[in-house]
């Protein structure tokens, strides 16, 4: 596994923006994490399936 990612999921665009800002503040010293986002459960599921297929990254945190 090359890198870990954080997946944030929310159907409200403003919540996604706020969550992304907060997570960026928390991990600003670590360039090992990438933050992905999904706007519903189906998108989140598809993101996890894609991560499992690629085997190049995994989600260390899925925040819903």
């Amino acid at each position: 596994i090359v890198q870990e990612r954080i997946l944030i999921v929310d159907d409200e665009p403003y919540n996604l923006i706020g969550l992304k800002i907060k997570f960026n503040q928390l991990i600003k010293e670590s360039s090992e994490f990438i933050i992905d986002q999904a706007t519903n459960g189906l998108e989140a599921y598809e993101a996890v399936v894609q991560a499992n297929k690629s085997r190049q990254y995994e989600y260390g945190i899925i925040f819903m």
Side-chain angles (χ1 to χ4, degrees), residues 31-56:
S31 61
E32 298 173 11
F33 287 92
I34 293 175
I35 300 173
D36 294 333
Q37 56 190 34
T39 60
N40 58 50
L42 180 58
E43 285 183 13
Y45 171 77
E46 290 171 348
V48 172
V49 168
Q50 180 61 35
N52 288 336
K53 282 183 182 178
S54 74
R55 300 188 139 224
Q56 293 182 343

Side-chain angles (χ1 to χ4, degrees), residues 1-57:
I1 296 170
V2 176
Q3 56 191 201
E4 289 198 51
R5 293 185 182 204
I6 297 171
L7 178 62
I8 55 175
V9 185
D10 200 301
D11 60 353
E12 182 62 45
Y14 293 109
N15 290 345
L16 283 174
I17 293 168
L19 287 169
K20 192 165 187 176
I21 289 169
K22 280 297 182 191
F23 274 109
N24 276 324
Q25 290 172 343
L26 290 171
I27 63 171
K28 65 182 173 185
E29 296 176 8
S30 174
S31 61
E32 298 173 11
F33 287 92
I34 293 175
I35 300 173
D36 294 333
Q37 56 190 34
T39 60
N40 58 50
L42 180 58
E43 285 183 13
Y45 171 77
E46 290 171 348
V48 172
V49 168
Q50 180 61 35
N52 288 336
K53 282 183 182 178
S54 74
R55 300 188 139 224
Q56 293 182 343
Y57 61 94

